[in-house]
Amino acid sequence: MTKPSLAPPSGSRDFLPQEALFRERVFATVKSVFTAHGYAPFETPAFERLETLSGKYGEEGEKLIFKILKRGEKAATGEADLALRYDLTVPAMRLYAHRRNDLPRVVRRYQIGPVWRADRPGRGRFREFYQCDVDVFGSASPLADVDVLLALSRVLEVLGLKGFTIRLNSRQALRGLMSACGVPPVKHQAALIALDKYDKIGVDGVSAELRASDLPQRATKSLLNDLKSNNPEAALRARIESDDEGKAGLLAADNIASRVAPLLQGGMIRVDPILARGLDYYTGPIFEFIADDGADSIAGGGRYDDLASLFMKESVPVCGGSLGIERIIMLLQDQVGFEPAVGAVCYVTVWDEVDQGDALQLVAALRAEGVSAEVDLAGGKLSRQLKVADERGCRVVIVQGPDEKAAGEVTIKEMESGNQRRATKANAPSVVKELIK
């Protein structure tokens, strides 16, 4: 029998305590910021009906949906009727449509959870990963777009991410660009997907993709001439402004940028006419966050007012964004590393078998006072127990040997400084709380 591999499946990861605790702190920070901005949680299943997800993510995204084969008696058919969720946006839209009567007119929603994509794994690219989303349902006001951008920005600022740029554009502006260049409507999406890759594949790569999309020669030439100019952004902006719809889209993006810019503390915002974003469902302003020390996007989103019409009779204005939290965590790890603590703050030693009950009572008293505490499970000499406490990153150790027990006291040792003090058993939790402030 072949020995099974102990490594997790390709594109997934295991997390040891230090990394898992680091991630938990990041997620807790995200949740606290979203809550402070007035967003409330949505929860949806890890899997959805295949029909719910199909046709929402464009041709490229459609290939990456993890399909679940039929189960039980129908397993032999090999057909799929369910799929793991590809993102959190479409399931949230499905939930909103299903329970709209139970919700207020304007909904601020956040969701944090894993999603799955049958992608090719690489650095910062996984098949199972977390997303952290915020959305505003029911508001067509540009202030909703501003609110989403400020919530996402604030997360990065509170996490201490050093420097980021928000690239902002509009699907209206891009439709104007397509019209000004003479791209037929049926070819808009193909051209935008190629343009969206400009930062990664350059002019030559975009040129190859445009030609493969069989665009009219005049359209391809117009786009490439702008991209090859000394100032591609200025050239594209001028061409967009030659179209009425495009000009209106740029004006909307400029308005949002002017509202957000004065309130940013850790980053900057600029209108970028090259930004396209590939998903089909965007209808208005779109954005990406780029970290100053990396080329990859660390957040993205936009307005998708028509997505609701796929689940409801009428359209509902919606805008939102998602943090690329896995890349953000990697950047934070590079900047600050992991904190050493993996165990409780306080470690209670056990002098011998007779004293186990006293140790357990002391641990219970510490926990009752809100101090994270653990009792020694290794046994053996005190020196060995102190070594275990140090390995687990505990800041304080409590010892109750025969002398301390006779006096009704304990010895409290600070691991970093080595300082020790005596305290009564009753006062020990208060002393420890003061030490760890």
Side-chain angles (χ1 to χ4, degrees), residues 230-247:
N230 293 332
N231 191 334
E233 290 188 15
L236 286 170
R237 187 177 182 104
R239 192 177 295 275
I240 291 169
E241 289 179 335
S242 69
D243 178 89
D244 289 343
E245 183 181 20
K247 187 175 182 178

Side-chain angles (χ1 to χ4, degrees), residues 84-104:
L84 296 176
R85 62 189 180 200
Y86 177 93
D87 69 357
L88 300 177
T89 302
V90 171
M93 194 74 255
R94 190 264 310 154
L95 170 58
Y96 174 82
H98 180 52
R99 301 291 298 275
R100 185 180 181 186
N101 292 337
D102 299 323
L103 294 167

Side-chain angles (χ1 to χ4, degrees), residues 140-180:
S141 169
L143 287 179
D145 304 82
V146 170
D147 198 66
V148 166
L149 288 169
L150 291 177
L152 297 174
S153 300
R154 187 57 183 159
V155 169
L156 301 181
E157 292 163 358
V158 174
L159 286 174
L161 195 65
K162 300 172 182 176
F164 59 87
T165 298
I166 305 172
R167 300 170 62 203
L168 179 67
N169 200 8
S170 168
R171 274 302 175 105
Q172 286 177 291
L174 291 169
R175 287 194 295 271
L177 175 63
M178 296 294 100
S179 177

Side-chain angles (χ1 to χ4, degrees), residues 53-65:
L53 304 182
S54 296
K56 311 300 191 301
Y57 304 109
E59 185 178 346
E60 294 296 320
E62 196 77 15
K63 299 174 183 177
L64 303 183
I65 295 175

Side-chain angles (χ1 to χ4, degrees), residues 130-132 297-300 322-329:
Y130 269 70
Q131 285 189 338
C132 302
S297 170
I298 56 171
S322 178
L323 293 166
I325 198 66
E326 302 294 355
R327 289 175 181 167
I328 291 170
I329 288 173

Side-chain angles (χ1 to χ4, degrees), residues 59 119 181 274 381 436:
E59 185 178 346
D119 208 347
C181 291
I274 295 178
K381 296 181 179 179
I436 64 177

